[in-house]
Amino acid sequence: HYLPNKDLEWKNDAEKTIKIINNLDPVDWLVVDNYELNHTWETILKPYTKKIMVIDDMTKRKHNCDLILDQNFYTNMKKGYDGLIPHNCKKLIGPKFALLRKDFLRLRKNLRKRDGKIKRIIVSFGSSDPTNEIMKVLDAINQLDNKQMKVDIVLGISDKTPNNMKKLFSNKSNINYHYQSTKIAHLMKKADLSIGSGGSTTWERCCLGLPSIVSISATNQKKLTQAVAKKGCSINLGLVNKLSSKDYQKAISSIDSLMLIRMSQKCIQLVDGNGVYRV
């Protein structure tokens, strides 16, 4: 059931949701995954469903729910949401509950042992790349002048620069472009290093033991990116609007074989791909 999203404030949203629920069989679970909806909306909907599950990653918003899922990794996960949820609310906190597609778990079962050499890089910044990070990374890789290194560029639906990339790097036979690819898991498995933004794709990379250089493109990625880097799974470059191609080049050049192998091992330990079944 779709709600019109044009100028739909939370009260109007609640009313329309109640109308839909009233025309259904009794609802066991109402699952909420929306930054715009909080405990007030949930309290209004409480009488119309047996239980409410909330998916969030902010650790600062109040909720009225029976179960909260936050798959992010924090330095002090046990205290997350203290005082923000009912005392009897079940907490599923941390990457052991990461919601990954089945192909990640399947491909994890026969991962190759990484030798610490960077022969293939996957570059992806999600559905959009407003600060043009992909171009910065391509420029950085171009400066490395390693013709043997393969590069997979994954472009999202909102990306505005694919034609520019092809013009500038048309003479590079080692660069492959993928548009809205459904084969991300396969590309990650083949790669030796990932360069991209934080967010939920962090758990996809970790599940496949893929070391990464990460830049922060949204506020809600900051804590997660810092914690995962501190754990030894990635290199945190900081905010995208402060980065140049030189920063990416230095980061790639600074990684030695031992560092790459250790990052891969740390990734595998952090996420096992069974989160969906635990939830």
Side-chain angles (χ1 to χ4, degrees):
H1 301 267
Y2 291 90
L3 298 182
N5 60 9
K6 187 180 179 182
D7 302 322
L8 191 64
E9 63 171 354
W10 69 266
K11 283 184 181 177
N12 202 351
D13 185 300
E15 290 171 5
K16 291 182 182 296
T17 304
I18 289 168
K19 281 184 180 178
I20 291 170
I21 290 176
N22 283 337
N23 289 323
L24 301 173
D25 291 329
V27 174
D28 294 306
W29 282 95
L30 177 60
V31 183
V32 189
D33 182 7
N34 192 321
Y35 288 135
E36 302 299 319
L37 305 178
N38 61 18
H39 75 287
T40 312
W41 185 95
E42 293 150 13
T43 300
I44 291 172
L45 268 295
K46 264 279 187 183
Y48 300 92
T49 178
K50 290 179 184 177
K51 292 181 185 294
I52 291 180
M53 172 183 176
V54 168
I55 301 173
D56 202 352
D57 61 3
M58 299 290 276
T59 63
K60 62 181 181 182
R61 304 189 322 130
K62 193 175 179 182
H63 291 290
N64 185 4
C65 56
D66 301 278
L67 186 152
I68 189 157
L69 167 65
D70 184 341
Q71 59 191 345
N72 280 348
F73 180 72
Y74 305 105
T75 49
N76 195 351
M77 292 191 296
K78 287 185 179 179
K79 290 192 175 182
Y81 299 98
D82 279 4
L84 297 174
I85 54 177
H87 71 278
N88 60 343
C89 177
K90 175 84 173 176
K91 290 196 289 186
L92 305 181
I93 310 291
K96 68 182 291 186
F97 300 107
L99 303 178
L100 301 182
R101 297 190 301 279
K102 288 180 181 178
D103 44 343
F104 286 95
L105 182 59
R106 178 171 51 81
L107 291 174
R108 177 188 169 92
K109 291 176 180 175
N110 58 347
L111 288 177
R112 61 188 169 84
K113 190 173 181 180
R114 299 184 186 276
D115 59 9
K117 294 177 182 176
I118 303 176
K119 300 182 286 289
R120 195 174 199 110
I121 297 177
I122 179 172
V123 182
S124 174
F125 286 86
S127 59
S128 64
D129 182 18
T131 54
N132 225 354
E133 297 309 298
I134 290 179
M135 289 291 281
K136 294 178 190 176
V137 173
L138 278 174
D139 189 38
I141 293 171
N142 193 39
Q143 290 174 45
L144 294 173
D145 199 29
N146 184 342
K147 294 183 175 68
Q148 303 304 313
M149 187 186 291
K150 299 287 185 184
V151 183
D152 289 303
I153 304 293
V154 181
L155 298 159
I157 191 170
S158 304
D159 207 288
K160 303 289 192 300
T161 56
N163 292 330
N164 292 341
M165 287 179 204
K166 286 194 170 182
K167 283 179 185 176
L168 288 170
F169 300 98
S170 59
N171 62 331
K172 300 290 181 181
S173 59
N174 60 326
I175 298 176
N176 300 308
Y177 297 92
H178 309 268
Y179 298 91
Q180 303 172 49
S181 175
T182 58
K183 302 288 185 182
I184 291 290
H186 294 272
L187 293 174
M188 284 185 177
K189 184 184 176 183
K190 288 195 294 184
D192 303 297
L193 177 68
S194 167
I195 303 176
S197 56
S200 57
T201 192
T202 299
W203 313 129
E204 297 173 350
R205 296 189 292 248
C206 284
C207 181
L208 297 178
L210 178 60
S212 56
I213 294 171
V214 182
S215 53
I216 302 167
S217 58
T219 307
N220 64 328
Q221 295 176 4
K222 190 174 180 181
K223 281 186 180 178
L224 159 65
T225 303
Q226 289 171 340
V228 172
K230 192 174 180 180
K231 188 76 175 174
C233 301
S234 62
I235 294 171
N236 174 21
L237 288 188
L239 297 171
V240 290
N241 54 10
K242 294 183 178 180
L243 299 175
S244 67
S245 60
K246 199 72 180 172
D247 295 304
Y248 287 105
Q249 184 194 355
K250 284 180 181 177
I252 299 167
S253 301
S254 70
I255 302 174
D256 58 34
S257 296
L258 185 59
M259 188 178 176
L260 207 68
I261 292 169
R262 282 178 177 169
M263 275 201 287
S264 179
Q265 291 169 346
K266 293 279 188 182
C267 285
I268 289 171
Q269 290 167 11
L270 190 60
V271 179
D272 65 6
N274 286 300
V276 167
Y277 302 102
R278 292 191 182 98
V279 173

